[in-house]
Amino acid sequence: MAKIGINLSTGSLQQEEMIVGIDLGTTNSLVAIIHPESKKPVALKEHGTSSLVPSIVHFDAFGNPIVGEEAKHYLETEPENTIFSAKRLMGKNYNDLKANADFFTYKVIDDGTDNLVKVQVGDSFYSPIELSAFILKELKQRAEHILKTPVTKAVITVPAYFNDTQRQATRDAGKLAGLDVLRIVNEPTAASLAYGFGLDQSEEKTIALYDLGGGTFDVSILTISNGIFDVLSTNGDTYLGGDDFDQLIVKHWLNQLQLPYSVVEKDKHLSQVLRLKAEEAKKILSSQPYYKTADTSIVNQLSALMDKSASFDNDLLHLPISLEQFEALITPHLQKTIACCEAALSDAGIAKQEIDTVVMVGGSTRVPLVKKLVGAYFGKPVNDTVNPDEVVALGAAIQADILAGNNKDFLLLDITPLSLGIETMGGLMEVLIPRNSKIPARVGKSYTTYKPGQSGMRISVYQGERDLVKDNRLLATFNLTGIPAMPAGLPKVEVSFLLNADGILVVTAKELRSGIQQSIEVKPQSNLTDEAVEQMLQDSIIHAQADIEARAITEAKTEGEQLITATERVIEANQSIMTEAEIALTKEAIELLASAIKNATNKNDIRSRIEHLNDITRPLAEKIMDEAVRKAMTGKKILP
Ligand code: AMP
């Protein structure tokens, strides 16, 4: 039971160990708690401000991060130093993002590999984990300022479709921000909790969650039974949201004024102002049938752009739009979201009549037409009584309260107190079962060999929260031997962890092509005191910054070494089509990278040289491709 104390300076009640709920969103993020007096979930906000913190990180001239509303101002003026939508990058490699590369106005590194993406700002390279950590740090500081108490524990929400890598990335971001992440909760589960669903253990329900935010749309179908949430299916469009509505309104106005879009595109200030006006119009149209602006400065600005010889309706300069016009504009988008609902239902194997409740999440569900169409589709009125911007964070706060043991109706399930994982290249810890996972748990991950003809693989099992295995507890180690000789990267070794209800961990490694396997049993909790667990957790937070830097250096070194080997092989095989100057330039870049790998004390030195070598080899790769195509073509004979 968390203790409640009184803050002597303010006289306010405070909980000693406040666990906060955090909605780390694509567009906005926020923190919520269970109010110590009312016992109701509330979103935290400073007096007279919004609870929403834009999920935007701007780096100033000295490379210092600025987060939130202030950072938003730089979106248009310094797009290359202002990172928005970092959540879209979590746990992704460049290939995952390639199709939408134009969306990002900052530099996302294309390294042509499967490695997790990095963002470059000036001379610095950031992982999405670090970027998210800046946002979480800001949220933590705000919460501490408002609550006047340290905040060290949190529940963070993620989309239901996030995979293990993305969830682990979110945990790591929390740790880096100085937060002990007690649980990662699915956003639809949190939203359901905020509506009180699932709190009554006897309740059985099937729920559809319709989440339309600023930039993304998600629909999830979930069932609740015995207080357990099960996400049956998810669907959506990761590039559809309220921002698109704003853009449609801007285009509508320009159409009316017969101004080409290119005029506005060139003028960043004007385009920013128009976008803000469009958002204002959209919000007003949620409660009124008509919008026009009284802002004379934008009217004058537009007037200056107009062709003076042509006659036009002066009223159009006031950017009018009716509800009817707005609804006509957005209807095709909304129809797309309904098609997603249909697909989600079909994947879940559920008829829409079986949905008991439809819940609205995300700021854009304030648009009345959204509620009307979704309600009509499911054949029942939608649930929209909880603030759709806050509903996910409020649910996270409820989950946090349950974890704090404050909600006596909930039985806490058995959980593992520390993460379990294995050692990967460079002595890094790879977590397979994160701490606080429910027991029993089963997880499997695939690995491959590093060297050609490698016949064995050493599996070392560790327990703990640190990034380098040397700082964690070694539980067991064994060798998988007899892997048939194959080129590096071809064998597929699946390592699975099975933690059973008695706390016994069975680790199995199996090479899938040959079928050879080896396994071992350990008891992670033996000889582990509560104090030792507490100490390991504290150490992981204290050393989070140094650990992540050490991990980043090790990863950069491994990547750099692999790139050198691959490039050397390419030079070797393609000497005939490379000029001497090209070979010399490439070798020089290899040398530079090799010396950085040997001597660098920070990841940016290695990353910048990886990027340099990539820049040099990129045109080369095209040349090699062209040559290969030419050879293939000349080899072909056309039959008479
Ligand atoms: P979220 O990502 O959930 O914070 O949603 C943000 C989106 O909701 C933005 O596109 C906002 O413009 C939009 N939004 C907020 N309030 C309203 C409103 N009253 N009417 C229409 N859209 C709104």
Side-chain angles (χ1 to χ4, degrees):
M1 183 73 183
K3 292 185 203 123
I4 294 184
I6 294 175
N7 181 322
L8 293 177
S9 59
T10 62
S12 63
L13 276 180
Q14 57 176 206
Q15 261 178 316
E16 252 183 27
E17 202 178 29
M18 184 72 79
I19 307 179
V20 299
I22 297 180
D23 172 5
L24 181 60
T26 309
T27 320
N28 294 304
S29 298
L30 69 156
V31 186
I33 57 155
I34 299 296
H35 194 280
E37 289 157 49
S38 73
K39 306 285 179 220
K40 296 259 183 306
V42 284
L44 294 180
K45 59 176 146 196
E46 308 242 26
H47 195 66
T49 64
S50 160
S51 58
L52 301 183
V53 177
S55 307
I56 301 173
V57 185
H58 169 72
F59 293 94
D60 69 13
F62 306 102
N64 297 319
I66 299 165
V67 175
E69 207 54 59
E70 207 188 328
K72 203 174 178 177
H73 297 143
Y74 296 97
L75 270 183
E76 296 283 340
T77 53
E78 289 186 43
E80 66 287 357
N81 302 332
T82 310
I83 317 300
F84 62 94
S85 278
K87 186 174 176 179
R88 293 181 190 277
L89 307 174
M90 287 293 252
K92 295 278 178 81
N93 61 41
Y94 191 79
N95 287 333
D96 297 330
L97 304 166
K98 221 166 30 191
N100 295 297
D102 286 350
F103 175 83
F104 302 98
T105 50
Y106 44 89
K107 187 168 179 194
V108 181
I109 303 287
D110 171 9
D111 60 2
T113 71
D114 284 344
N115 295 319
L116 298 181
V117 288
K118 307 273 177 316
V119 167
Q120 184 175 9
V121 179
D123 295 331
S124 297
F125 294 78
Y126 299 96
S127 69
I129 295 176
E130 290 170 289
L131 296 166
S132 297
F134 288 128
I135 298 167
L136 289 170
K137 225 181 254 176
E138 171 74 20
L139 295 174
K140 174 179 181 321
Q141 277 167 5
R142 264 174 203 238
E144 288 176 336
H145 190 242
I146 296 167
L147 296 169
K148 304 193 168 50
T149 178
V151 170
T152 58
K153 292 180 158 63
V155 166
I156 304 181
T157 56
V158 297
Y161 58 77
F162 256 30
N163 63 25
D164 285 345
T165 312
Q166 294 170 303
R167 284 166 199 261
Q168 188 59 37
T170 307
R171 277 175 197 282
D172 289 345
K175 191 162 81 174
L176 191 56
L179 290 168
D180 179 8
V181 182
L182 296 185
R183 179 90 35 109
I184 295 285
V185 180
N186 287 326
E187 287 162 8
T189 302
S192 305
L193 279 171
Y195 271 95
F197 305 139
L199 292 173
D200 172 358
Q201 301 271 337
S202 62
E203 187 179 44
E204 303 242 334
K205 245 181 192 312
T206 306
I207 306 178
L209 280 112
Y210 181 99
D211 181 350
L212 189 60
T216 59
F217 168 66
D218 296 312
V219 53
S220 324
I221 309 294
L222 52 152
T223 56
I224 309 173
S225 154
N226 300 322
I228 292 177
F229 291 80
D230 198 4
V231 179
L232 299 183
S233 69
T234 64
N235 205 295
D237 185 331
T238 43
Y239 292 89
L240 194 167
D243 298 347
D244 297 297
F245 301 173
D246 303 346
Q247 213 172 3
L248 287 170
I249 296 176
V250 171
K251 287 201 170 140
H252 165 81
W253 285 333
L254 295 178
N255 258 338
Q256 300 273 302
L257 290 163
Q258 296 182 11
L259 280 174
Y261 193 61
S262 54
V263 174
V264 181
E265 240 176 357
K266 268 189 284 189
D267 185 339
K268 284 191 170 162
H269 176 72
L270 179 63
S271 84
Q272 163 97 321
V273 172
L274 280 175
R275 230 167 22 144
L276 292 173
K277 288 285 165 210
E279 190 177 11
E280 180 180 285
K282 173 182 74 176
K283 290 183 178 172
I284 286 192
L285 292 174
S286 286
S287 57
Q288 286 169 31
Y290 189 74
Y291 170 90
K292 77 180 189 184
T293 182
D295 179 350
T296 46
S297 84
I298 180 77
V299 172
N300 292 337
Q301 226 177 322
L302 287 168
S303 168
L305 287 172
M306 301 300 286
D307 178 358
K308 292 289 174 290
S309 59
S311 69
F312 60 92
D313 182 355
N314 260 325
D315 195 44
L316 291 177
L317 295 174
H318 290 266
L319 305 174
I321 182 165
S322 70
L323 179 60
E324 224 177 346
Q325 286 168 323
F326 172 61
E327 293 187 339
L329 291 175
I330 62 169
T331 296
H333 279 6
L334 299 186
Q335 279 163 347
K336 251 197 236 170
T337 67
I338 298 292
C340 293
C341 294
E342 193 141 3
L345 283 170
S346 146
D347 288 347
I350 287 209
K352 62 182 175 188
Q353 294 75 13
E354 293 174 66
I355 298 289
D356 300 310
T357 310
V358 183
V359 171
M360 295 280 113
V361 185
S364 299
T365 60
R366 289 210 181 82
V367 174
L369 184 63
V370 172
K371 293 187 239 192
K372 195 169 122 193
L373 290 182
V374 177
Y377 174 72
F378 285 100
K380 50 176 61 77
V382 299
N383 284 43
D384 62 349
T385 48
V386 180
N387 180 334
D389 288 317
E390 296 181 348
V391 63
V392 169
L394 297 176
I398 295 173
Q399 177 72 61
D401 196 48
I402 294 170
L403 291 176
N406 294 341
N407 194 326
K408 288 282 169 266
D409 296 338
F410 269 82
L411 199 66
L412 283 183
L413 301 159
D414 262 349
I415 52 163
T416 88
L418 291 170
S419 302
L420 297 164
I422 62 168
E423 174 177 0
T424 58
M425 282 288 299
L428 294 178
M429 170 87 171
E430 172 141 87
V431 172
L432 273 90
I433 300 183
R435 92 184 204 85
N436 282 326
S437 296
K438 279 181 228 144
I439 298 177
R442 176 196 280 280
V443 183
K445 255 190 190 166
S446 286
Y447 298 88
T448 188
T449 49
Y450 183 59
K451 291 194 189 118
Q454 190 176 329
S455 65
M457 205 181 229
R458 190 174 183 76
I459 311 287
S460 300
V461 184
Y462 283 86
Q463 178 180 43
E465 308 311 309
R466 303 287 298 274
D467 284 86
L468 301 181
V469 291
K470 72 174 175 59
D471 300 315
N472 289 329
R473 277 183 91 203
L474 176 66
L475 293 179
T477 184
F478 66 95
N479 287 315
L480 178 68
T481 51
I483 301 175
M486 279 183 256
L490 212 55
K492 219 172 152 198
V493 176
E494 182 157 289
V495 176
S496 67
F497 275 32
L498 171 64
L499 186 59
N500 68 25
D502 307 321
I504 291 170
L505 175 69
V506 183
V507 180
T508 308
K510 180 173 181 180
E511 202 288 303
L512 298 181
R513 288 172 203 272
S514 59
I516 56 154
Q517 71 169 41
Q518 198 86 41
S519 69
I520 200 168
E521 272 187 22
V522 274
K523 202 153 188 219
Q525 254 55 272
S526 59
N527 302 325
L528 192 66
T529 61
D530 284 357
E531 290 75 33
V533 171
E534 192 55 38
Q535 188 61 48
M536 289 181 86
L537 289 177
Q538 270 183 13
D539 284 350
S540 78
I541 300 215
I542 293 168
H543 298 288
Q545 186 73 46
D547 273 9
I548 199 140
E549 184 64 20
R551 174 183 283 272
I553 290 185
T554 307
E555 282 171 356
K557 281 185 177 170
T558 308
E559 258 178 72
E561 279 161 7
Q562 283 169 347
L563 182 63
I564 289 178
T565 314
T567 313
E568 280 172 345
R569 241 184 260 146
V570 169
I571 298 180
E572 186 71 32
N574 295 283
Q575 270 175 357
S576 57
I577 57 165
M578 288 173 75
T579 64
E580 271 185 21
E582 277 171 343
I583 294 179
L585 200 65
T586 313
K587 285 195 168 157
E588 189 192 0
I590 288 180
E591 284 301 314
L592 281 172
L593 175 56
S595 93
I597 290 173
K598 215 191 272 149
N599 307 317
T601 49
N602 85 63
K603 63 173 178 184
N604 290 330
D605 296 346
I606 307 174
R607 287 263 159 235
S608 56
R609 288 179 182 187
I610 289 181
E611 192 48 13
H612 175 57
L613 180 54
N614 270 329
D615 283 345
I616 288 179
T617 54
R618 227 170 262 136
L620 202 62
E622 278 165 29
K623 196 168 160 183
I624 294 168
M625 282 297 284
D626 288 349
E627 178 65 14
V629 170
R630 196 184 59 77
K631 266 195 188 145
M633 293 306 284
T634 48
K636 279 203 184 105
K637 295 255 170 3
I638 297 174
L639 290 172

mmCIF file of all heavy atoms in Angstrom, residues 56-59 66 70-84 105-106 121:
data_model
loop_
_atom_site.group_PDB
_atom_site.id
_atom_site.type_symbol
_atom_site.label_atom_id
_atom_site.label_comp_id
_atom_site.label_asym_id
_atom_site.label_seq_id
_atom_site.Cartn_x
_atom_site.Cartn_y
_atom_site.Cartn_z
ATOM 1 N N ILE A 56 7.347 16.602 -29.643
ATOM 2 C CA ILE A 56 8.293 17.199 -30.594
ATOM 3 C C ILE A 56 9.564 17.588 -29.839
ATOM 4 O O ILE A 56 9.491 18.139 -28.743
ATOM 5 C CB ILE A 56 7.674 18.455 -31.258
ATOM 6 C CG1 ILE A 56 6.385 18.067 -31.981
ATOM 7 C CG2 ILE A 56 8.655 19.115 -32.216
ATOM 8 C CD1 ILE A 56 5.607 19.225 -32.528
ATOM 9 N N VAL A 57 10.720 17.253 -30.425
ATOM 10 C CA VAL A 57 12.001 17.614 -29.819
ATOM 11 C C VAL A 57 12.755 18.510 -30.790
ATOM 12 O O VAL A 57 13.014 18.118 -31.931
ATOM 13 C CB VAL A 57 12.875 16.371 -29.542
ATOM 14 C CG1 VAL A 57 14.142 16.769 -28.788
ATOM 15 C CG2 VAL A 57 12.098 15.313 -28.774
ATOM 16 N N HIS A 58 13.078 19.733 -30.336
ATOM 17 C CA HIS A 58 13.882 20.632 -31.162
ATOM 18 C C HIS A 58 15.276 20.729 -30.548
ATOM 19 O O HIS A 58 15.413 20.795 -29.325
ATOM 20 C CB HIS A 58 13.229 22.016 -31.209
ATOM 21 C CG HIS A 58 14.123 23.060 -31.809
ATOM 22 N ND1 HIS A 58 14.411 23.088 -33.145
ATOM 23 C CD2 HIS A 58 14.828 24.073 -31.233
ATOM 24 C CE1 HIS A 58 15.251 24.096 -33.372
ATOM 25 N NE2 HIS A 58 15.515 24.701 -32.239
ATOM 26 N N PHE A 59 16.316 20.692 -31.396
ATOM 27 C CA PHE A 59 17.679 20.863 -30.891
ATOM 28 C C PHE A 59 18.144 22.268 -31.225
ATOM 29 O O PHE A 59 18.110 22.679 -32.398
ATOM 30 C CB PHE A 59 18.602 19.815 -31.503
ATOM 31 C CG PHE A 59 18.272 18.421 -31.034
ATOM 32 C CD1 PHE A 59 17.421 17.611 -31.775
ATOM 33 C CD2 PHE A 59 18.777 17.936 -29.835
ATOM 34 C CE1 PHE A 59 17.089 16.338 -31.333
ATOM 35 C CE2 PHE A 59 18.448 16.662 -29.384
ATOM 36 C CZ PHE A 59 17.611 15.863 -30.136
ATOM 37 N N ILE A 66 14.883 20.830 -26.729
ATOM 38 C CA ILE A 66 13.733 21.572 -26.192
ATOM 39 C C ILE A 66 12.512 20.753 -26.592
ATOM 40 O O ILE A 66 12.391 20.347 -27.750
ATOM 41 C CB ILE A 66 13.631 22.967 -26.837
ATOM 42 C CG1 ILE A 66 14.899 23.766 -26.534
ATOM 43 C CG2 ILE A 66 12.385 23.711 -26.373
ATOM 44 C CD1 ILE A 66 15.051 24.991 -27.404
ATOM 45 N N GLU A 70 7.056 24.622 -27.140
ATOM 46 C CA GLU A 70 8.115 25.514 -27.605
ATOM 47 C C GLU A 70 8.808 24.926 -28.842
ATOM 48 O O GLU A 70 9.140 25.645 -29.789
ATOM 49 C CB GLU A 70 9.121 25.718 -26.472
ATOM 50 C CG GLU A 70 9.854 27.026 -26.567
ATOM 51 C CD GLU A 70 10.982 27.104 -25.545
ATOM 52 O OE1 GLU A 70 10.859 26.517 -24.450
ATOM 53 O OE2 GLU A 70 12.009 27.735 -25.882
ATOM 54 N N ALA A 71 9.008 23.618 -28.824
ATOM 55 C CA ALA A 71 9.681 22.954 -29.948
ATOM 56 C C ALA A 71 8.823 23.041 -31.212
ATOM 57 O O ALA A 71 9.325 23.128 -32.330
ATOM 58 C CB ALA A 71 9.943 21.489 -29.605
ATOM 59 N N LYS A 72 7.490 23.060 -31.013
ATOM 60 C CA LYS A 72 6.547 23.087 -32.137
ATOM 61 C C LYS A 72 6.774 24.307 -33.024
ATOM 62 O O LYS A 72 6.593 24.245 -34.235
ATOM 63 C CB LYS A 72 5.121 23.093 -31.571
ATOM 64 C CG LYS A 72 4.069 22.598 -32.507
ATOM 65 C CD LYS A 72 2.732 22.511 -31.785
ATOM 66 C CE LYS A 72 1.644 22.052 -32.720
ATOM 67 N NZ LYS A 72 0.372 21.899 -32.013
ATOM 68 N N HIS A 73 7.185 25.419 -32.391
ATOM 69 C CA HIS A 73 7.390 26.651 -33.160
ATOM 70 C C HIS A 73 8.456 26.504 -34.240
ATOM 71 O O HIS A 73 8.503 27.276 -35.176
ATOM 72 C CB HIS A 73 7.783 27.806 -32.217
ATOM 73 C CG HIS A 73 6.695 28.127 -31.241
ATOM 74 N ND1 HIS A 73 6.937 28.497 -29.942
ATOM 75 C CD2 HIS A 73 5.359 28.103 -31.388
ATOM 76 C CE1 HIS A 73 5.789 28.674 -29.320
ATOM 77 N NE2 HIS A 73 4.810 28.446 -30.177
ATOM 78 N N TYR A 74 9.357 25.536 -34.050
ATOM 79 C CA TYR A 74 10.467 25.389 -34.999
ATOM 80 C C TYR A 74 10.169 24.423 -36.133
ATOM 81 O O TYR A 74 11.002 24.202 -36.991
ATOM 82 C CB TYR A 74 11.735 24.928 -34.260
ATOM 83 C CG TYR A 74 12.237 25.944 -33.261
ATOM 84 C CD1 TYR A 74 11.908 25.845 -31.919
ATOM 85 C CD2 TYR A 74 13.037 27.000 -33.685
ATOM 86 C CE1 TYR A 74 12.356 26.780 -31.003
ATOM 87 C CE2 TYR A 74 13.493 27.940 -32.775
ATOM 88 C CZ TYR A 74 13.151 27.827 -31.441
ATOM 89 O OH TYR A 74 13.603 28.750 -30.540
ATOM 90 N N LEU A 75 8.975 23.817 -36.105
ATOM 91 C CA LEU A 75 8.636 22.809 -37.126
ATOM 92 C C LEU A 75 8.814 23.337 -38.536
ATOM 93 O O LEU A 75 9.354 22.657 -39.400
ATOM 94 C CB LEU A 75 7.188 22.364 -36.956
ATOM 95 C CG LEU A 75 6.930 21.175 -36.051
ATOM 96 C CD1 LEU A 75 5.455 20.837 -36.065
ATOM 97 C CD2 LEU A 75 7.747 19.962 -36.437
ATOM 98 N N GLU A 76 8.338 24.583 -38.741
ATOM 99 C CA GLU A 76 8.405 25.150 -40.084
ATOM 100 C C GLU A 76 9.748 25.817 -40.363
ATOM 101 O O GLU A 76 10.283 25.709 -41.450
ATOM 102 C CB GLU A 76 7.292 26.199 -40.270
ATOM 103 C CG GLU A 76 5.890 25.641 -40.204
ATOM 104 C CD GLU A 76 5.495 24.917 -41.484
ATOM 105 O OE1 GLU A 76 6.106 25.153 -42.529
ATOM 106 O OE2 GLU A 76 4.543 24.102 -41.407
ATOM 107 N N THR A 77 10.281 26.505 -39.333
ATOM 108 C CA THR A 77 11.475 27.309 -39.581
ATOM 109 C C THR A 77 12.770 26.497 -39.557
ATOM 110 O O THR A 77 13.707 26.804 -40.258
ATOM 111 C CB THR A 77 11.583 28.453 -38.554
ATOM 112 O OG1 THR A 77 11.486 27.867 -37.249
ATOM 113 C CG2 THR A 77 10.493 29.473 -38.741
ATOM 114 N N GLU A 78 12.831 25.457 -38.712
ATOM 115 C CA GLU A 78 14.056 24.644 -38.649
ATOM 116 C C GLU A 78 13.702 23.157 -38.711
ATOM 117 O O GLU A 78 13.970 22.411 -37.767
ATOM 118 C CB GLU A 78 14.821 24.930 -37.351
ATOM 119 C CG GLU A 78 15.461 26.292 -37.313
ATOM 120 C CD GLU A 78 16.328 26.454 -36.070
ATOM 121 O OE1 GLU A 78 17.069 25.515 -35.722
ATOM 122 O OE2 GLU A 78 16.231 27.515 -35.456
ATOM 123 N N PRO A 79 13.088 22.749 -39.829
ATOM 124 C CA PRO A 79 12.608 21.348 -39.880
ATOM 125 C C PRO A 79 13.718 20.319 -39.670
ATOM 126 O O PRO A 79 13.477 19.260 -39.105
ATOM 127 C CB PRO A 79 12.004 21.232 -41.283
ATOM 128 C CG PRO A 79 12.532 22.384 -42.058
ATOM 129 C CD PRO A 79 12.823 23.465 -41.079
ATOM 130 N N GLU A 80 14.949 20.658 -40.090
ATOM 131 C CA GLU A 80 16.028 19.655 -39.979
ATOM 132 C C GLU A 80 16.491 19.461 -38.536
ATOM 133 O O GLU A 80 17.115 18.455 -38.219
ATOM 134 C CB GLU A 80 17.198 19.994 -40.921
ATOM 135 C CG GLU A 80 17.978 21.264 -40.622
ATOM 136 C CD GLU A 80 17.227 22.570 -40.970
ATOM 137 O OE1 GLU A 80 16.103 22.508 -41.514
ATOM 138 O OE2 GLU A 80 17.751 23.648 -40.661
ATOM 139 N N ASN A 81 16.164 20.416 -37.656
ATOM 140 C CA ASN A 81 16.579 20.285 -36.245
ATOM 141 C C ASN A 81 15.396 20.001 -35.325
ATOM 142 O O ASN A 81 15.506 20.123 -34.106
ATOM 143 C CB ASN A 81 17.233 21.586 -35.751
ATOM 144 C CG ASN A 81 18.425 21.975 -36.583
ATOM 145 O OD1 ASN A 81 19.071 21.095 -37.149
ATOM 146 N ND2 ASN A 81 18.707 23.260 -36.678
ATOM 147 N N THR A 82 14.253 19.693 -35.919
ATOM 148 C CA THR A 82 13.044 19.554 -35.113
ATOM 149 C C THR A 82 12.385 18.206 -35.418
ATOM 150 O O THR A 82 11.908 17.984 -36.520
ATOM 151 C CB THR A 82 12.080 20.730 -35.409
ATOM 152 O OG1 THR A 82 12.833 21.945 -35.301
ATOM 153 C CG2 THR A 82 10.922 20.765 -34.438
ATOM 154 N N ILE A 83 12.406 17.338 -34.423
ATOM 155 C CA ILE A 83 11.977 15.961 -34.644
ATOM 156 C C ILE A 83 10.544 15.768 -34.149
ATOM 157 O O ILE A 83 10.261 15.939 -32.963
ATOM 158 C CB ILE A 83 12.895 14.965 -33.889
ATOM 159 C CG1 ILE A 83 14.363 15.349 -34.046
ATOM 160 C CG2 ILE A 83 12.623 13.533 -34.336
ATOM 161 C CD1 ILE A 83 14.884 15.368 -35.458
ATOM 162 N N PHE A 84 9.648 15.433 -35.076
ATOM 163 C CA PHE A 84 8.271 15.101 -34.695
ATOM 164 C C PHE A 84 8.043 13.625 -35.032
ATOM 165 O O PHE A 84 8.828 13.020 -35.768
ATOM 166 C CB PHE A 84 7.266 16.001 -35.440
ATOM 167 C CG PHE A 84 7.327 15.825 -36.935
ATOM 168 C CD1 PHE A 84 6.472 14.937 -37.583
ATOM 169 C CD2 PHE A 84 8.252 16.520 -37.694
ATOM 170 C CE1 PHE A 84 6.549 14.752 -38.955
ATOM 171 C CE2 PHE A 84 8.336 16.338 -39.057
ATOM 172 C CZ PHE A 84 7.480 15.456 -39.694
ATOM 173 N N THR A 105 10.817 15.405 -42.285
ATOM 174 C CA THR A 105 11.490 16.602 -42.792
ATOM 175 C C THR A 105 12.887 16.713 -42.193
ATOM 176 O O THR A 105 13.618 17.636 -42.477
ATOM 177 C CB THR A 105 10.681 17.860 -42.425
ATOM 178 O OG1 THR A 105 10.383 17.789 -41.030
ATOM 179 C CG2 THR A 105 9.393 17.944 -43.201
ATOM 180 N N TYR A 106 13.254 15.768 -41.335
ATOM 181 C CA TYR A 106 14.596 15.736 -40.759
ATOM 182 C C TYR A 106 15.321 14.529 -41.344
ATOM 183 O O TYR A 106 14.719 13.720 -42.062
ATOM 184 C CB TYR A 106 14.528 15.657 -39.229
ATOM 185 C CG TYR A 106 13.507 14.681 -38.688
ATOM 186 C CD1 TYR A 106 13.828 13.354 -38.467
ATOM 187 C CD2 TYR A 106 12.199 15.090 -38.412
ATOM 188 C CE1 TYR A 106 12.894 12.461 -37.973
ATOM 189 C CE2 TYR A 106 11.254 14.206 -37.929
ATOM 190 C CZ TYR A 106 11.608 12.884 -37.707
ATOM 191 O OH TYR A 106 10.687 12.001 -37.234
ATOM 192 N N VAL A 121 21.097 15.018 -36.504
ATOM 193 C CA VAL A 121 20.851 16.457 -36.327
ATOM 194 C C VAL A 121 22.221 17.091 -36.152
ATOM 195 O O VAL A 121 22.907 16.798 -35.173
ATOM 196 C CB VAL A 121 19.970 16.734 -35.091
ATOM 197 C CG1 VAL A 121 19.745 18.227 -34.922
ATOM 198 C CG2 VAL A 121 18.636 16.012 -35.197
#
